């Protein structure tokens, strides 16, 4: 039975009322294959460089600068995927993060972030500055979020697993930008995942609308005056889309709806001007809804929110004995960096000039060097680099900054997370393999890497950064002419 034949009658009847003469074209779209795409990690390479070097035939996704259709291509098995050079994502799902106007230095909240499609893009657009708090109420779903952000090479990130109310109690109204890609009935994904039809018949829009209103309400309260919030769903239901936004506008008079540009293939909101709808018969993608809101910066709000935010979140660490740089050897919580950790960090040389003067190619996407700007902390054997902000301590973190490794009996072992940050120019001992080198697949499976005599002569004993086409992939440990595999066992290809 085709997806079209399985569509619930009540859903079809509602869509006939919504789309009128477009209904037949809409229903016919469910008989076609869903589209797939990748989004380039602009924190690691430019779109131009990707288009020039990659063997994929890249056809642009119209609504985002770094998205490309890749239907039928084996992109999930390519070494570049494991190096975090792109994220596999449904094309329409790229729209929300592309429309939220992120600026470097912003404090950003992705409230319903798992598995990480939006969060990875938001992290890239911060360009290593500011802070991204990526949250999902489900700790199990948030584990996938942690991995995807780690592969992406995102450093200035905290991952939390809390409900929105707890986040508000901890963070206050302290975020410059918030993205709410709300849980929904999933109508827009019926073609891509037909199992959602059964869930829709059990729950439907009426089950989700109250939850969406509650989530959006807490998000608005966490938004700073002058801040912007983007609300999105992957459903066609007005009850979950325009009605939820209208409810927020009614209950929070400080909010205003920012009209979004209507480009080719976009459909306007229904009864609420300025929103955008994507339908699968109009665009090469699935169904989506987005609305952009702004909180006014009235003086009375500014004072009350600033006072609250200052009391609980994101105060720059002042009056510390250290700036947090590794060379200072001091942190407000843990004291001096252990010598073994210091020696390993000294093997990195990060680009310091973010304007790109030293390397023109990196001008627009170079990530700020975390080893130069973050604070060192240690919890037991675990060694971390934490963004230089004072964070609330009474919520559930799955990740704060970067776990750089662990210290065991005075020996430092670098983490997989740390390997995903640098390129081949940043570490002193590198084995850089080309993407078509058959040894890469064996490495990703956890096998020992055989070395040529020239490679063995060039490497020094100890830790080696394994790269693919100049980008960090994982660690190996060189001894006696071979490279022992240190790729994260949980990430290995089965």
């Amino acid at each position: 039975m085709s997806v079209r034949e399985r569509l619930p009658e009540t859903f079809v009847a509602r869509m006939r009322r919504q789309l009128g003469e477009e209904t037949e074209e809409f229903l016919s779209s469910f008989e076609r294959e869903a589209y797939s795409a990748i989004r380039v990690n602009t924190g690691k390479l430019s779109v131009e460089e990707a288009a020039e070097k990659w063997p994929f035939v890249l056809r642009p996704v119209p609504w985002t600068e770094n998205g490309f259709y890749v239907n039928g291509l084996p992109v999930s098995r390519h070494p570049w995927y494991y190096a975090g050079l792109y994220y596999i994502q449904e094309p329409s799902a790229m729209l929300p993060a592309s429309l939220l106007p992120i600026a470097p230095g912003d404090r950003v909240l992705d409230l319903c972030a798992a598995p990480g499609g939006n969060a990875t893009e938001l992290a890239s657009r911060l360009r290593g500055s500011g802070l991204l708090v990526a949250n999902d109420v489900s700790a199990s779903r948030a584990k996938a979020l942690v991995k995807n952000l780690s592969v992406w090479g995102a450093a200035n990130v905290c991952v939390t697993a809390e409900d929105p109310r707890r986040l508000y109690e901890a963070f206050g109204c302290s975020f410059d930008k918030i993205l709410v890609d709300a849980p929904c009935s999933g109508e827009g994904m019926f073609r891509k995942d037909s199992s959602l039809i059964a869930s829709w018949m059990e729950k439907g829009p009426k089950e989700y609308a109250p939850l969406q209103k509650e989530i959006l309400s807490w998000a608005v309260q966490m938004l700073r005056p002058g801040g912007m919030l983007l609300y999105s769903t992957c459903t066609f239901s007005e009850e979950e889309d325009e009605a939820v936004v209208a409810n927020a506008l009614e209950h929070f008079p400080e909010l205003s709806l920012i009209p979004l540009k209507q480009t080719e293939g976009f459909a306007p909101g229904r009864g609420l001007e300025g929103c955008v709808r994507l339908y699968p018969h109009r665009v090469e993608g699935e169904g989506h809804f987005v609305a952009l809101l702004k909180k006014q910066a009235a003086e009375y709000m500014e004072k009350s929110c600033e006072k609250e935010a200052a009391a609980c979140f994101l105060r720059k660490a002042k009056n510390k004995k250290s700036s947090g740089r590794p060379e200072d050897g001091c942190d407000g919580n843990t004291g001096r960096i252990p010598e073994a950790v210091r020696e390993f960090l000294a093997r990195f040389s990060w680009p310091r000039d973010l304007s790109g003067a030293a390397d023109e190619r990196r001008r627009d996407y170079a990530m700020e060097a975390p080893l130069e700007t973050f604070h060192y902390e240690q919890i037991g054997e675990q060694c971390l680099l934490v963004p230089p902000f004072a964070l609330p301590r009474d919520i559930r973190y799955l990740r704060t900054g970067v776990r750089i490794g662990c210290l065991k009996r005075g020996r430092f072992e670098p983490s997989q997370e740390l390997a995903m940050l640098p390129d081949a120019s940043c570490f002193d001992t590198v084995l850089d393999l080309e993407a078509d080198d058959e040894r890469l697949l064996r490495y990703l499976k956890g096998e020992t890497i055989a070395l040529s005599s020239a490679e063995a002569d060039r490497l020094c004993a100890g830790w080696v950064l394994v790269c693919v086409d100049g980008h960090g992939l994982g660690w190996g440990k060189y001894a006696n002419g071979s490279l022992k595999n240190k790729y994260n066992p949980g990430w290995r290809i089965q």
Side-chain angles (χ1 to χ4, degrees), residues 58 167 194 217 242 305 337 359 379 395 415 420 433 469:
L58 300 179
L167 286 180
S194 60
S217 173
E242 289 88 352
C305 267
I337 299 178
D359 186 346
I379 302 174
I395 60 174
S415 70
M420 306 311 295
L433 304 176
D469 291 331

Side-chain angles (χ1 to χ4, degrees), residues 246-257:
N247 179 75
L249 292 169
E250 178 183 353
H251 285 84
F252 297 95
E254 64 270 26
L255 286 183
S256 60
L257 185 64

Side-chain angles (χ1 to χ4, degrees), residues 431-445:
L431 177 65
D432 190 13
L433 304 176
E434 295 183 356
D436 58 359
D437 192 318
E438 62 180 14
R439 292 177 294 174
L440 279 173
L441 180 58
R442 292 201 291 270
Y443 175 75
L444 292 170
K445 290 181 177 180

Side-chain angles (χ1 to χ4, degrees), residues 179-296:
L179 192 148
V180 180
D181 191 23
C184 68
S185 61
E187 296 171 355
M189 295 294 161
F190 282 174
R191 179 173 66 176
K192 183 176 176 64
D193 183 1
S194 60
S195 66
L196 293 171
I197 295 174
S199 176
W200 186 93
M201 295 178 71
E202 179 183 346
K203 297 180 180 179
K206 291 188 180 299
E207 180 86 11
Y208 287 95
L211 175 62
Q212 292 157 348
K213 291 176 181 177
E214 180 182 359
I215 291 173
L216 185 54
S217 173
W218 289 116
V220 171
Q221 294 176 75
M222 286 187 275
L223 188 65
R224 296 184 63 161
M228 303 183 80
L229 182 156
L230 190 134
Y231 174 80
S232 68
T233 72
C234 56
T235 186
F236 306 115
S237 166
E238 294 174 53
E239 187 176 0
E240 299 178 74
D241 295 340
E242 289 88 352
V244 173
V245 175
N247 179 75
L249 292 169
E250 178 183 353
H251 285 84
F252 297 95
E254 64 270 26
L255 286 183
S256 60
L257 185 64
I258 306 299
L260 293 168
K261 182 180 179 181
Q262 295 289 329
T263 60
E264 184 178 358
F266 287 11
R270 294 181 55 79
L272 196 62
E273 293 185 7
C275 305
V276 163
R277 284 174 163 268
L278 299 186
Y279 292 102
H281 66 291
R282 286 191 171 205
V283 300
E284 293 182 350
E286 307 310 302
H288 232 83
F289 169 86
V290 290
L292 184 62
L293 302 166
K294 183 173 182 177
K295 179 183 277 191
Q296 70 181 35

Side-chain angles (χ1 to χ4, degrees), residues 185 261 367 402 424 452:
S185 61
K261 182 180 179 181
M367 185 186 74
V402 181
S452 68

